[in-house]
């Protein structure tokens, strides 16, 4: 059966689920599965080239450093960035906390700890009372709470773009972005509704008032071609484990000059230039933001994942997943008593489909599906405000990867159709 990412590449897809049913993995929005290309790259890094990166003159240290830095180049190429614009992090959560924390350091007067960069006005990064951070009601908590905290630390105010009935960002609320706005942080694709955000409209509105545009690209990068230079965002976050790479690794993209103008937020080894007992000068980015020992093998795995996806072609993956999404979202929407939280059709969305089932708790839905070998996510998916927008506290979510088949999606829909009758819920 054709899938753009061949199923034989993913050893885990050969195992069975609960009750001996074939595993139907529909939880790639939470974490994706890893192909041999990634597993082998990580194993080879550990088996043959394990050494401390950038810290030794011996052969293993040199080989590890070369592999680590070439992974950065692979990941950068994959998202339309230059290698020195990619900072390794543990994932999107750390990437978003990093940028928010660095802005609070500038606001506290620590911007002077790095040399000025010609053409970059440090006032862009400085927040205080009267300034505004704008986010959206669709955010994962990782792109909401760091901004709440930044506002609490600096006295700035948090505002947000609202959502329409489908859960899409409502552009008629774009006027919350005004001359007081310093940051506009928003998701590229919602991890609940699957809706693709109108990036260019939001970035234009942010830049028109001199605000920084921060994109949470964690749910877009694995599913469609993404080019941060073309999108003109100032910063972006994405995670390895959602794009077929290991856990514990991710990246923050930042425009080169902006990263160079920002002070560090964690301090220690590998991020310095000169240290005396009195003071320290800091390395250029990306090292400036990579204090301590990085997850080297995982970074090498993320480089391998980027190469693997690029070899398939993100256009190919997007087109394939668009067809599966159509079957998935229409199939779910047609079941009596089941409600899609998000666009109930395939246009301008990804294959992340959350839904509620009348009369059945999401955990029971998840358990019933699991009893047939189907893995989905249940709960609030770390996005309580958008659930409240849809009038529920939790949901069940099926999310696609490039290894899912049409048969799997159809089996999922047929099984979901059994849920309400199984629990004795009448129409
Ligand atoms: N942003 C979105 C939209 C997500 O879906 C997730 C994870 O589910 C995150 C941020 C956080 O990513 P991570 O847990 O990899 O840091």
């Amino acid at each position: 059966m054709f899938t753009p990412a061949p199923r034989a590449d993913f050893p885990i897809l050969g195992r069975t689920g609960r009750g001996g049913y074939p595993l139907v993995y529909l939880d790639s929005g939470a974490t994706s599965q890893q192909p041999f290309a990634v597993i082998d790259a990580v194993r080879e890094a550990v088996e043959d080239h394990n050494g401390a990166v950038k810290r030794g003159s011996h052969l293993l240290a040199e080989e590890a450093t070369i592999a680590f830095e070439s992974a950065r180049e692979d990941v950068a190429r994959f998202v339309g960035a230059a290698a020195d614009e990619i900072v390794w992090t543990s994932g999107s959560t750390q990437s978003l906390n990093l940028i928010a924390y660095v802005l609070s350091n500038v606001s506290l007067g620590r911007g002077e700890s790095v040399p000025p960069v010609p053409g970059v006005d440090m006032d862009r990064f400085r927040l205080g009372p009267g300034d505004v951070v704008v986010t959206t009601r669709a955010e994962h908590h990782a792109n909401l709470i760091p901004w709440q905290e930044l506002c609490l630390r600096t006295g700035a105010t948090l505002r947000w773009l609202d959502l329409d009935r489908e859960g899409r960002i409502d552009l008629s609320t774009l006027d919350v972005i005004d001359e007081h706005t310093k940051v506009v942080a928003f998701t590229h694709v919602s991890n609940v509704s699957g809706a693709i955000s109108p990036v260019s409209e939001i970035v234009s509105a942010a830049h028109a008032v001199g605000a920084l545009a921060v994109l949470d690209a964690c749910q877009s990068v694995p599913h469609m071609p993404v080019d941060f230079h073309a999108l003109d965002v100032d910063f972006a976050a994405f995670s390895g484990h959602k794009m077929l790479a290991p856990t514990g690794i991710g990246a923050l993209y930042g425009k080169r000059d902006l990263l160079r103008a920002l002070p560090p937020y964690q301090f220690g080894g590998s991020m310095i230039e000169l240290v005396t007992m009195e003071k320290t000068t800091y390395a250029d980015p990306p090292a400036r933001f990579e204090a301590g020992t990085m997850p080297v093998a995982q970074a090498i795995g993320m480089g391998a994942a980027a190469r693997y996806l690029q070899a398939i072609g993100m256009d190919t993956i997007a087109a394939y997943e668009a067809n599966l999404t159509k079957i998935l979202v229409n199939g779910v929407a047609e079941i009596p008593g089941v409600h899609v939280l998000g666009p109930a059709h395939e246009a301008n969305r990804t294959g992340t489909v959350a839904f509620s089932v009348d009369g059945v708790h999401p955990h029971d839905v998840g358990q019933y599906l699991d009893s047939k070998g189907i893995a989905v996510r249940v709960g609030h998916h770390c996005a309580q405000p958008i659930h409240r927008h849809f009038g529920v506290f939790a949901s069940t979510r099926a999310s696609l990867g490039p290894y899912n088949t049409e048969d799997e999606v159809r089996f999922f829909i047929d099984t979901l159709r059994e849920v309400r009758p199984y629990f004795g819920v009448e129409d």
Side-chain angles (χ1 to χ4, degrees), residues 25-34 240-247 377 397 399 403:
Y25 189 76
L26 293 175
D27 199 18
S28 297
T31 201
S32 55
Q33 299 301 348
Q34 298 166 40
H241 71 106
K242 296 190 197 283
M243 50 167 276
L244 318 186
T247 51
R377 169 99 194 238
R397 183 186 73 185
S399 54
Y403 33 65

Side-chain angles (χ1 to χ4, degrees), residues 355-387:
F355 53 88
S356 59
V357 178
D358 288 346
V360 188
H361 192 279
H363 282 96
D364 292 329
V365 177
Q367 259 177 21
Y368 184 77
L369 294 169
D370 182 51
S371 75
K372 307 285 177 179
I374 302 170
V376 294
R377 169 99 194 238
V378 297
H380 52 62
H381 324 313
C382 305
Q384 293 185 6
I386 190 173
H387 274 88

Side-chain angles (χ1 to χ4, degrees), residues 29-30 91-94 96 140 142 187 189 191 216 218-219 239 241-242:
S92 300
T93 302
Q94 194 196 359
L96 294 161
H140 186 283
T187 193
V189 171
N191 68 316
D216 178 352
C218 165
Q219 294 289 348
S239 297
H241 71 106
K242 296 190 197 283

Side-chain angles (χ1 to χ4, degrees), residues 157-402:
T157 303
L158 189 79
R159 298 232 166 88
W160 49 90
L161 300 173
D162 231 311
L163 308 179
D164 65 15
R165 281 184 53 238
E166 283 194 324
R168 293 187 188 281
I169 293 172
D170 182 352
L171 287 177
S172 73
T173 63
L174 212 53
D175 56 4
V176 296
I177 301 174
D178 63 14
E179 71 276 14
H180 301 292
T181 307
K182 286 288 183 84
V183 179
V184 179
F186 65 104
T187 193
H188 196 173
V189 171
S190 160
N191 68 316
V192 175
S193 71
I196 300 173
S197 301
V199 178
S200 68
E201 285 88 341
I202 299 172
V203 170
S204 299
H207 287 168
V209 296
L212 300 165
V214 180
L215 189 70
D216 178 352
C218 165
Q219 294 289 348
S220 57
V221 161
H223 302 291
M224 61 183 74
V226 173
D227 181 324
F228 292 137
H229 284 173
L231 293 174
D232 197 27
V233 290
D234 298 298
F235 300 97
F238 55 110
S239 297
H241 71 106
K242 296 190 197 283
M243 50 167 276
L244 318 186
T247 51
I249 188 70
L252 171 72
Y253 159 80
K255 283 183 179 165
R256 178 180 292 125
D257 279 353
L258 299 185
L259 283 180
R260 282 180 54 224
L262 288 170
Y265 85 117
Q266 283 188 338
F267 305 88
S270 298
M271 48 76 70
I272 54 89
E273 209 172 55
L274 262 180
V275 183
T276 65
M277 288 312 290
E278 289 77 26
K279 72 186 250 277
T280 297
T281 55
Y282 301 117
D284 284 338
R288 183 183 297 165
F289 302 104
E290 295 176 354
T293 303
M294 293 283 108
V296 175
Q298 289 82 350
I300 291 167
M302 189 162 170
R307 286 200 309 276
Y308 178 86
L309 287 167
Q310 210 154 22
I312 296 169
M314 291 312 293
D315 281 319
T316 304
I317 288 176
Y320 177 80
E321 289 188 8
N323 180 50
L324 278 197
T325 300
K326 185 175 174 177
I327 301 167
L328 174 61
V329 76
N330 291 331
V332 171
E334 273 166 26
I335 302 173
V338 175
H339 310 281
V340 174
L341 309 184
H345 52 81
E346 68 276 13
N348 204 21
R349 63 163 300 146
T350 66
T352 291
V353 179
F355 53 88
S356 59
V357 178
D358 288 346
V360 188
H361 192 279
H363 282 96
D364 292 329
V365 177
Q367 259 177 21
Y368 184 77
L369 294 169
D370 182 51
S371 75
K372 307 285 177 179
I374 302 170
V376 294
R377 169 99 194 238
V378 297
H380 52 62
H381 324 313
C382 305
Q384 293 185 6
I386 190 173
H387 274 88
R388 243 171 249 127
H389 171 77
F390 287 120
V392 293
F393 194 72
S395 64
T396 309
R397 183 186 73 185
S399 54
L400 299 172

Side-chain angles (χ1 to χ4, degrees), residues 71-86 228 238 306:
R72 193 193 304 274
E73 284 166 20
D74 291 333
V75 168
R77 200 173 306 113
F78 182 59
V79 292
D84 62 350
E85 295 176 316
I86 295 293
F228 292 137
F238 55 110

